[in-house]
Amino acid sequence: MDSLTQIILGAATGELVLGKKIGNRAMLWGAVGGTIPDLDVLGGQFLSEIDNLAFHRGISHSILFSVLGAFVFGWVVHKLYQSPHHKWFAIISKVFALVLIIAALNFVLRIFFPGNFIPLLISSIVLVTLLVFHIRKTYLTNQWERPSASLTNWQWLFFWSLFTHPLLDCFTTYGTQLFAPFSDYRVAFNTVSVVDFGYTLPFLLCLLVAAFLGRTTRARRVWNGVGIAISSAYLLFTVGNKFYMDQKFEEAFTKQEIPVERFTASPTILNNILWSATLETDSVYYLGQYSWFDEVPITFNPVAKGHNLLVNSENDPTIQTLRWFSKDYYNVMDIDSALQYNDLRFGTFYGKGDSPDDFIFNFRLNQQQDGSYKMTEGRAGPKKGGAGTLFKNLMQRIKGLKKS
């Protein structure tokens, strides 16, 4: 899921584990713990494009990392608060948390205000002002108290904030290597989009209310519990909705007598109403979309596989990694003296696949002199400057196709 959602989930679990003892510091460190697994994106600074693709949502999103990380990070934070410089560590940690929150807001605001930096600027100024006021009031006076949490308390907080992160990611199409390093299998239930405000916004509102209530009050625990309950119920709803959507697609392609060997379906970005499906036959793929509000039958558009464009695909390490990542749901297109590898699990923007720009997740490949392939670019989402138009079209498509 997106960074903001993982911060909220981490903060809520931190509050659940330790909020009654240490108040908002439990939310803060829970948010940090919920963010740590996604710091594997820093691998992009040191790894090749293809290696970074395999590394992301790998070991840092595993059960093993959650267990070992809980011991390590819990011990570190416990020692920091025992230090004579604990106030400064606390200040630094809150500044770090603010940077993470602003980065998450940037991700979200770019969806609703593409090309407009004003909303992010205003939000950042407000958040920085609040943090400065909080630091002056809390840490630069004599009101600050050391948190009364044991080493075990901290370790439990970090375990749950670390573990719930990959657990939530398992419900997305991207998936996560939950059993790394023992297995590179990507657990992906395909029930929720990587950004879904139906999950995130109620959760955020409940958490914010809880943060302003006294740490020992029953109301604080109730509001945090309500946020967790609503988000969990929504996640459960998406599981049921997937069964429903799979059935709708299966009924449609059976009625149309398409000889499907296998198929996959997943929700489109920002919602759980409009879904995309990819059907594989012996010769071609078929792509289609379905909204709850559609009044016309599902249309499946054929897309050429293009697998014959690849040379030595069974042995080339780059192609093998891409095939593993896409679970063999892919097609290949010849584009500008290069090849475009499209991961069809994520579907297309318009359900047609008649243009290279229609594919949500794609990779550019160049063949080297020795015949091997090098991935030179990976892209998820619309081209730069196209988010605004895409968002309008998405909202229109969610409303459904009406009978003429």
Side-chain angles (χ1 to χ4, degrees):
M1 295 288 284
D2 65 276
S3 301
L4 178 61
T5 301
Q6 294 292 8
I7 287 173
I8 295 167
L9 178 60
T13 54
E15 168 65 24
L16 187 65
V17 173
L18 209 50
K20 190 173 181 179
K21 275 193 171 185
I22 65 174
N24 285 345
R25 281 174 287 200
M27 290 188 183
L28 167 68
W29 286 111
V32 171
T35 304
I36 287 173
D38 274 347
L39 294 182
D40 63 358
V41 297
L42 298 176
Q45 305 298 317
F46 311 100
L47 301 172
S48 66
E49 286 262 10
I50 191 66
D51 289 337
N52 188 49
L53 182 69
F55 180 67
H56 182 47
R57 292 200 186 178
I59 186 66
S60 69
H61 286 64
S62 67
I63 297 174
L64 180 64
F65 182 85
S66 299
V67 174
L68 297 181
F71 281 100
V72 173
F73 297 122
W75 180 84
V76 169
V77 172
H78 181 67
K79 287 298 182 182
L80 289 180
Y81 279 115
Q82 303 303 312
S83 166
H85 306 294
H86 47 70
K87 286 187 180 182
W88 296 108
F89 286 126
I91 291 172
I92 291 171
S93 68
K94 292 200 173 184
V95 171
F96 175 67
L98 179 64
V99 171
L100 295 178
I101 291 171
I102 291 175
L105 279 175
N106 178 48
F107 176 83
V108 173
L109 292 173
R110 278 187 302 166
I111 297 174
F112 292 99
F113 306 98
N116 187 351
F117 70 93
I118 300 298
L120 178 64
L121 179 62
I122 294 173
S123 302
S124 299
I125 291 173
V126 171
L127 290 172
V128 170
T129 302
L130 290 174
L131 180 62
V132 170
F133 176 78
H134 172 71
I135 289 174
R136 288 184 61 185
K137 179 181 178 181
T138 306
Y139 298 105
L140 304 183
T141 66
N142 294 323
Q143 298 180 18
W144 191 88
E145 296 180 1
R146 194 189 310 272
S148 58
S150 67
L151 172 60
T152 302
N153 290 152
W154 286 116
Q155 289 172 334
W156 274 115
L157 180 148
F158 275 98
F159 170 75
W160 286 112
S161 61
L162 289 170
F163 179 60
T164 52
H165 180 125
L167 197 62
L168 179 58
D169 280 343
C170 287
F171 287 86
T172 67
T173 301
Y174 198 105
T176 184
Q177 296 176 59
L178 197 61
F179 307 109
F182 310 108
S183 170
D184 64 359
Y185 177 75
R186 300 180 72 88
V187 181
F189 301 140
N190 297 355
T191 74
V192 70
S193 168
V194 291
V195 184
D196 189 331
F197 293 116
Y199 178 91
T200 305
L201 290 183
F203 206 174
L204 174 61
L205 292 175
C206 291
L207 186 69
L208 288 175
V209 173
F212 284 96
L213 298 173
R215 65 180 174 84
T216 60
T217 62
R218 182 175 180 273
R220 179 184 176 102
R221 297 193 297 276
V222 168
W223 275 101
N224 189 58
V226 167
I228 293 174
I230 291 175
S231 61
S232 299
Y234 183 83
L235 206 58
L236 185 62
F237 152 76
T238 68
V239 174
N241 195 36
K242 176 169 175 57
F243 282 106
Y244 171 76
M245 288 294 183
D246 281 353
Q247 183 181 24
K248 295 297 289 187
F249 285 119
E250 189 167 3
E251 288 174 353
F253 68 68
T254 300
K255 187 175 182 179
Q256 297 176 37
E257 298 183 345
I258 300 175
V260 176
E261 295 180 350
R262 62 174 185 153
F263 79 100
T264 183
S266 58
T268 56
I269 196 74
L270 301 178
N271 76 104
N272 215 258
I273 297 172
L274 175 65
W275 283 57
S276 174
T278 300
L279 323 177
E280 183 175 12
T281 70
D282 181 58
S283 55
V284 298
Y285 288 106
Y286 287 88
L287 305 178
Q289 292 182 337
Y290 175 72
S291 167
W292 288 356
F293 307 113
D294 281 352
E295 298 178 356
V296 298
I298 300 173
T299 299
F300 294 107
N301 299 287
V303 175
K305 289 187 174 183
H307 294 177
N308 60 301
L309 296 174
L310 295 175
V311 178
N312 196 29
S313 62
E314 296 296 327
N315 300 308
D316 186 87
T318 297
I319 303 302
Q320 283 298 295
T321 298
L322 289 173
R323 291 182 61 182
W324 160 79
F325 177 75
S326 63
K327 295 188 176 181
D328 267 340
Y329 279 104
Y330 73 97
N331 77 324
V332 183
M333 307 174 77
D334 194 348
I335 307 294
D336 298 330
S337 301
L339 297 178
Q340 181 171 303
Y341 182 108
N342 302 307
D343 187 336
L344 301 181
R345 294 175 305 145
F346 295 89
T348 61
F349 294 116
Y350 303 107
K352 297 180 179 179
D354 55 359
S355 164
D357 293 335
D358 194 23
F359 295 92
I360 294 173
F361 223 119
N362 58 76
F363 310 91
R364 187 62 60 91
L365 296 172
N366 284 323
Q367 191 168 19
Q368 308 301 295
Q369 290 184 348
D370 62 359
S372 64
Y373 290 96
K374 180 180 180 182
M375 192 181 98
T376 57
E377 180 186 7
R379 181 167 64 88
K383 279 192 171 182
K384 188 175 182 180
T389 301
L390 172 65
F391 182 72
K392 292 178 183 178
N393 291 334
L394 175 66
M395 294 300 104
Q396 188 63 36
R397 182 63 186 87
I398 287 174
K399 294 177 182 178
L401 300 176
K402 308 303 179 183
K403 292 180 180 179
S404 56

